Amino acid sequence: MKKHWFRNKKYGWGWSPNTWQGWLVIGLYTVSFVGLMLNLRSEGVANKEVIWDFLPKVAILTAILLFICFATGDTPGWHWGDRDEASEKEKIK
C-alpha cells in the first residue's frame, strides 16, 4: 500500500505532512518563500515593479505545493475529530 505524503488534518480542512517526503516538500516551499522575501527586501518594497514580479512567483510556488498535496495526499475534506470517537459518542446517547 502506498503511504500518502500528506494526510488529512484531524480538525478542519487541509493536510499535514505524514512522511519525510511531505516534510521535505514543506521545507523546500518554506526556503523558497523566504528566499523570495529576502530578494524582495533587498530590492526595496517601495518599487511597485518588484511587487508585481514577486506576486506571480508566490502564486506559482503555492500552486506547485497544492498540486503536490493533491497528487500525493489524501482526498481533502472537512473533519472534526476521529470518526471512531464520533461513533462512540453516538452509541453512548
Side-chain angles (χ1 to χ4, degrees), residues 60-92:
I60 291 169
L61 190 63
T62 303
I64 291 169
L65 176 65
L66 287 172
F67 175 78
I68 292 171
C69 288
F70 273 105
T72 63
D74 290 331
T75 304
W78 182 262
H79 300 282
W80 197 254
D82 289 334
R83 290 184 181 154
D84 295 337
E85 288 177 15
S87 62
E88 288 296 323
K89 288 179 183 178
E90 291 297 322
K91 289 178 185 177
I92 293 172

Side-chain angles (χ1 to χ4, degrees), residues 41-74:
R41 184 175 176 196
S42 68
E43 294 184 19
V45 180
N47 188 351
K48 289 182 183 179
E49 291 176 6
V50 173
I51 292 177
W52 288 112
D53 184 47
F54 169 76
L55 291 177
K57 290 177 184 175
V58 170
I60 291 169
L61 190 63
T62 303
I64 291 169
L65 176 65
L66 287 172
F67 175 78
I68 292 171
C69 288
F70 273 105
T72 63
D74 290 331

Side-chain angles (χ1 to χ4, degrees), residues 5-75:
W5 291 5
F6 297 91
R7 62 178 163 78
N8 286 327
K9 292 172 65 175
K10 187 173 182 177
Y11 294 99
W13 192 93
W15 300 279
S16 59
N18 194 33
T19 63
W20 68 268
Q21 293 96 335
W23 283 107
L24 179 66
V25 168
I26 295 298
L28 290 173
Y29 176 82
T30 303
V31 167
S32 300
F33 189 83
V34 169
L36 288 173
M37 291 294 292
L38 292 175
N39 187 39
L40 179 68
R41 184 175 176 196
S42 68
E43 294 184 19
V45 180
N47 188 351
K48 289 182 183 179
E49 291 176 6
V50 173
I51 292 177
W52 288 112
D53 184 47
F54 169 76
L55 291 177
K57 290 177 184 175
V58 170
I60 291 169
L61 190 63
T62 303
I64 291 169
L65 176 65
L66 287 172
F67 175 78
I68 292 171
C69 288
F70 273 105
T72 63
D74 290 331
T75 304

